[in-house]
């Protein structure tokens, strides 16, 4: 098996460290806001600050990713992330913390499509799915550890201490940038004449399989966010689970995501991505429906682990398809446009989840969520055979990434 380039290992490790820090920070901020009696509005604003920058800055981040080499981009953005997080550590008022958190999210909005472009160009051909799986698994590992440690550390340290730890983790983004080679004499970073949100969305829309996976992924993300809102009521009220059990569910789901991303990355190396994507989405929908009729907490743990694995497998398949089918010069814009769609759906789902949870039983919300996924699968998977063909085809003139040595 061909070894992955060192850049992929560096990015995977950087994401693991950074997501660990983010898990610490978001958990600590939520607990701190609760202890200050800031109210549910402050926590909702925190989640909005995490999601909205990806929507508002999709055009800018896509242009940057398509035009600036990762070695030139990631070190200054990583340093800026660390500096803003240090500022948060010494900020007091809740509105100021939320504002600075929005700045952090805006900077990460620049990082994500840039990393996607860097991965697709550093891991050409059969390496692409493995590289995508490794980076996704690294992020899931960070979420798992960060979620587990967040509350534990805040019980023993101050919010300032936890945020300073988070600031240190952002330096991993800075260091990962130096793993990418410098441009040689006469070499230029591949770029398109036009870039931005509309260009990226058109690039996604121009490939049938890619667009169908984008729509299916948006519905799956919407359903999962509805689940997240209703989950605490299901665990605490219906299943009589403890707070520890509720926190452990998040860890189990993250562990499943890590395993699913790793497996999918290896499985897709020489296989079309469409079948894996549609099967994974279908299994996720069935599992969500299964949660609606689950009355035993241990069974819920098993279902959440498997659902995390299938969700991660779908994500790896979708990202691999984009990397193979979208022209290299438009991948940054396409990644940013896809992220904008996903984050818009996330915000809508949080609003819908809050509204539905106040009038419906949590089990009914899980049933609705699973039904939405299966309905979307029926609509988007009607051209599955064409999707398989598109997943194999990946024209070389459009989808072959530029080797790292040529950047």
């Amino acid at each position: 098996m061909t070894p992955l380039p060192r850049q992929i290992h560096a990015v995977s490790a950087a994401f693991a460290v950074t997501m660990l820090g983010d898990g610490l920070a978001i958990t600590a901020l939520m607990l701190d806001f609760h202890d200050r009696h800031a109210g549910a509005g402050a926590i909702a604003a925190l989640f909005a600050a995490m999601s909205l920058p990806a929507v508002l800055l999709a055009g800018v981040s896509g242009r940057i990713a398509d035009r600036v080499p990762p070695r030139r981009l990631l070190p200054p953005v990583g340093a800026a992330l660390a500096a803003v997080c240090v500022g948060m550590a010494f900020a007091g008022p809740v509105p100021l913390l939320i504002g600075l958190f929005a700045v952090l999210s805006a900077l990460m909005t620049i990082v994500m499509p840039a990393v996607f472009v860097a991965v697709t160009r550093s891991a050409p051909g059969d390496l692409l799915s493995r590289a995508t799986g490794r980076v996704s698994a690294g992020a899931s590992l960070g979420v798992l550890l960060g979620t587990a440690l967040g509350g534990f550390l805040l019980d023993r340290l101050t919010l300032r201490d936890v945020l300073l730890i988070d600031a240190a983790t952002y330096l991993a983004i800075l260091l990962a940038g130096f793993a990418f080679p410098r441009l040689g004499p006469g070499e230029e970073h591949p770029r398109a004449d036009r870039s931005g949100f509309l260009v990226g969305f058109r690039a996604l829309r121009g490939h049938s399989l890619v667009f169908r996976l984008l729509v299916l992924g948006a519905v799956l993300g919407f359903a999962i966010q509805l689940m997240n809102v209703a989950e605490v009521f299901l665990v605490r009220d219906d299943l009589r689970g403890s707070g520890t059990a509720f926190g452990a569910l998040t860890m189990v789901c993250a562990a499943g995501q890590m395993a699913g991303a790793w497996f999918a990355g290896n499985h897709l190396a020489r296989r079309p991505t469409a079948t894996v994507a549609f099967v994974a989405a279908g299994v996720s929908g069935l599992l969500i429906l299964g949660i609606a009729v689950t009355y035993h907490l241990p069974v819920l743990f098993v279902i959440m682990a498997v659902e995390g694995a299938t969700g991660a497998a779908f994500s790896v398949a979708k990202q691999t398809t984009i990397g193979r089918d979208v022209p290299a010069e438009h991948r940054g814009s396409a990644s940013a446009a896809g992220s904008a769609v996903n984050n818009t759906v996330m915000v809508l789902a949080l609003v819908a989840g809050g509204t539905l949870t106040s009038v419906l039983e949590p089990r009914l919300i899980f049933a609705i969520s699973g039904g939405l996924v299966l309905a979307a699968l029926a609509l988007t998977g009607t051209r599955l055979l064409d999707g398989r063909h598109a997943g194999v085809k990946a024209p070389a003139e459009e989808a072959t990434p530029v080797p790292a040595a040529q950047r």
Side-chain angles (χ1 to χ4, degrees), residues 267-328:
H267 182 75
L268 293 172
R270 295 181 178 275
R271 295 172 177 85
T273 56
T275 302
V276 172
F278 285 111
V279 169
V283 173
S284 287
L286 292 173
L287 289 170
I288 296 170
L289 284 178
I291 294 174
V293 294
T294 297
Y295 291 89
H296 301 285
L297 199 57
V299 177
L300 181 60
F301 271 83
V302 175
I303 292 177
M304 290 298 288
V306 180
E307 198 282 324
T310 56
F314 174 84
S315 179
V316 170
K318 183 182 75 170
Q319 293 298 97
T320 301
T321 303
I322 293 173
R324 287 175 177 172
D325 288 6
V326 173

Side-chain angles (χ1 to χ4, degrees), residues 147-336:
T147 303
L149 290 173
F152 174 82
L153 287 180
L154 193 62
D155 286 340
R156 290 155 180 80
L157 303 173
T158 65
L159 177 64
R160 175 175 296 175
D161 296 330
V162 174
L163 290 176
L164 287 174
I165 293 172
D166 187 27
T169 66
Y170 283 121
L171 296 177
I173 298 292
L174 182 154
L175 296 175
F178 292 111
F180 293 90
R182 298 178 184 274
L183 292 176
E187 291 182 340
E188 292 186 1
H189 185 69
R191 64 175 66 185
D193 293 334
R194 300 179 63 196
S195 57
F197 175 80
L198 291 179
V199 172
F201 188 79
R202 290 189 190 111
L204 295 171
R205 185 68 182 88
H207 297 266
S208 173
L209 175 59
V210 170
F211 187 70
R212 284 185 285 135
L213 291 184
L214 178 68
V215 172
L216 181 56
V219 175
L220 181 59
F222 185 89
I224 290 174
Q225 289 304 320
L226 286 183
M227 281 174 50
N228 290 341
V229 175
E231 183 182 355
V232 64
F233 299 97
L234 178 70
V235 174
R236 297 288 277 160
D237 299 337
D238 286 22
L239 300 179
R240 304 298 179 187
S242 64
T244 300
F246 177 71
L249 271 176
T250 303
M251 294 177 57
V252 165
C253 186
Q257 290 171 348
M258 184 171 58
W262 193 280
F263 171 79
N266 290 336
H267 182 75
L268 293 172
R270 295 181 178 275
R271 295 172 177 85
T273 56
T275 302
V276 172
F278 285 111
V279 169
V283 173
S284 287
L286 292 173
L287 289 170
I288 296 170
L289 284 178
I291 294 174
V293 294
T294 297
Y295 291 89
H296 301 285
L297 199 57
V299 177
L300 181 60
F301 271 83
V302 175
I303 292 177
M304 290 298 288
V306 180
E307 198 282 324
T310 56
F314 174 84
S315 179
V316 170
K318 183 182 75 170
Q319 293 298 97
T320 301
T321 303
I322 293 173
R324 287 175 177 172
D325 288 6
V326 173
E329 66 271 18
H330 291 148
R331 286 181 195 146
S333 295
S335 176

Side-chain angles (χ1 to χ4, degrees), residues 1 5 12 64 68 85 89 98 120 122 163 195 201 203-204 207 228 261 266 315 364:
M1 183 179 289
S12 179
I64 292 173
V68 183
C85 203
I98 294 173
T120 60
S122 299
L163 290 176
S195 57
F201 188 79
L204 295 171
H207 297 266
N228 290 341
N266 290 336
S315 179
L364 184 54

Side-chain angles (χ1 to χ4, degrees), residues 88-166:
M88 286 182 65
F90 291 93
V94 168
L96 181 57
L97 283 170
I98 294 173
L100 290 173
F101 192 74
V103 176
L104 277 182
S105 300
L107 291 170
M108 284 302 294
T109 295
I110 295 174
V111 168
M112 299 303 286
V115 166
F116 177 72
V117 171
V119 167
T120 60
R121 287 175 176 159
S122 299
D126 295 339
L127 295 178
L128 179 57
S129 66
R130 286 173 53 206
T132 303
R134 295 301 184 274
V135 174
S136 180
S140 296
L141 176 62
V143 170
L144 190 156
L145 296 176
T147 303
L149 290 173
F152 174 82
L153 287 180
L154 193 62
D155 286 340
R156 290 155 180 80
L157 303 173
T158 65
L159 177 64
R160 175 175 296 175
D161 296 330
V162 174
L163 290 176
L164 287 174
I165 293 172
D166 187 27

